[in-house]
Amino acid sequence: QVQLVESGGGSVQAGDSLRLSCAASGGSISTYIMGWFRQAPGKEREFTAAITRTTFNTLYADSVKGQFTVTRDNAKNTVYLQMNSLKPEDTGVYYCAAQFGNIWGKSYAYDVWGRGTQVTVSS
């Protein structure tokens, strides 16, 4: 199965933008639904966004609709999360995940996880 490595996190000011990347190796992501999750300090990991294999349909958590955009480039074996107008409440560790199934928004459905990248947004 694939291995996933996230990058692009950092410390930014409220209102700034970041683009996270998730690079896969050891296989093609075209067979997986790809998702992004985040975990804020002291909170459980929560679904953020997901994108289907080849039709590129997307699903977002209500908290990030209109603010975040998930895309994928199967040729580059990479998934992206564009985050705009960042707020302090967007702070957390962001994880990339892949699943063979079709349950987009549930962490238990994902088969492979990256180690995460830290995003810190200060006011």
Side-chain angles (χ1 to χ4, degrees):
Q1 61 186 14
V2 297
Q3 293 84 49
L4 304 174
V5 178
E6 303 92 338
S7 62
S11 295
V12 297
Q13 297 288 319
D16 287 349
S17 297
L18 280 175
R19 188 176 82 154
L20 306 183
S21 297
C22 172
S25 60
S28 173
I29 64 168
S30 63
T31 58
Y32 295 90
I33 282 180
M34 301 299 295
W36 286 96
F37 290 76
R38 66 184 182 185
Q39 187 166 19
K43 295 188 177 181
E44 294 188 353
R45 192 174 301 186
E46 64 176 8
F47 171 74
T48 302
I51 185 167
T52 57
R53 297 170 180 82
T54 57
T55 57
F56 298 175
N57 293 327
T58 56
L59 178 69
Y60 296 95
D62 288 343
S63 58
V64 304
K65 280 182 183 176
Q67 183 189 2
F68 290 7
T69 303
V70 58
T71 58
R72 65 192 292 164
D73 186 334
N74 288 343
K76 293 183 178 180
N77 236 17
T78 303
V79 182
Y80 305 96
L81 185 66
Q82 177 67 42
M83 307 187 295
N84 297 328
S85 303
L86 284 162
K87 310 166 190 175
E89 50 264 42
D90 295 317
T91 293
V93 179
Y94 283 72
Y95 298 90
C96 175
Q99 67 163 283
F100 285 116
N102 291 292
I103 305 175
W104 300 25
K106 302 298 184 182
S107 60
Y108 64 75
Y110 285 81
D111 304 292
V112 183
W113 291 82
R115 292 188 175 185
T117 185
Q118 176 71 45
V119 172
T120 303
V121 185
S122 56
S123 57

